[in-house]
Amino acid sequence: MQLTIRSIPSSSSGLAMLEAIAALLVLTTGAIGILWWHQKAELRQQQQINQFIAMSLASDLAKRMQVNARQAALYAFGWGESRQSTHDCFASPCSWAQLAQWDISQWQQALRAQLPQGDASVYPLAGKAQWWVISVGWPANKITSASGSCPVRMQCWNLSVRPQR
């Protein structure tokens, strides 16, 4: 028995090369699609984490306001406003007004630590006496329009609270 080797016509080898290139394109497109979905999932997860942190921070400030309900108006501040307190209410006794300033200062430090690019605002709820809105914002992964309670390019969590004793 004798083995004979036949040569492959050159047009067939070109076709095989085109098929290989087409297969690589399909594979690359699929890999890019999977990476895109993965990135979207990570962004959604980060937004959910930021929302959970904002909810926790807003709830913490609401509790602080309820403890010091008579001084609720002193807890009001605007976007980008930073408060510092020279009085340490842990180290020595303080008045209710000093407690409000100290609470805001401590709370804003927690905000900067937990949501580094976050911001917040506390303002009276329109049309509702003694009701306050605590709005905590973080950078959005999409362009958002400014609203009365949230700046441009931010997503916000709003909590309405009525501190009373």
Side-chain angles (χ1 to χ4, degrees), residues 50-97:
N50 288 342
Q51 183 176 358
F52 177 76
I53 293 169
M55 290 167 57
S56 298
L57 287 167
S59 177
D60 176 45
L61 186 57
K63 289 174 186 171
R64 290 173 188 244
M65 289 175 75
Q66 287 174 341
V67 166
N68 196 1
R70 291 189 181 132
Q71 302 296 324
L74 295 177
Y75 286 84
F77 62 92
W79 295 103
E81 187 179 331
S82 181
R83 299 255 184 99
Q84 300 298 322
S85 177
T86 56
H87 195 81
D88 184 358
C89 291
F90 270 146
S92 62
C94 57
S95 69
W96 290 108

Side-chain angles (χ1 to χ4, degrees), residues 125-159:
L125 184 60
K128 300 278 186 177
Q130 299 178 353
W131 279 87
W132 297 86
V133 177
I134 300 167
S135 186
V136 181
W138 62 92
N141 60 5
K142 60 185 177 202
I143 295 175
T144 59
S145 60
S147 68
S149 63
C150 196
V152 175
R153 298 187 186 274
M154 291 191 90
Q155 278 187 282
C156 293
W157 176 261
N158 296 323
L159 177 66

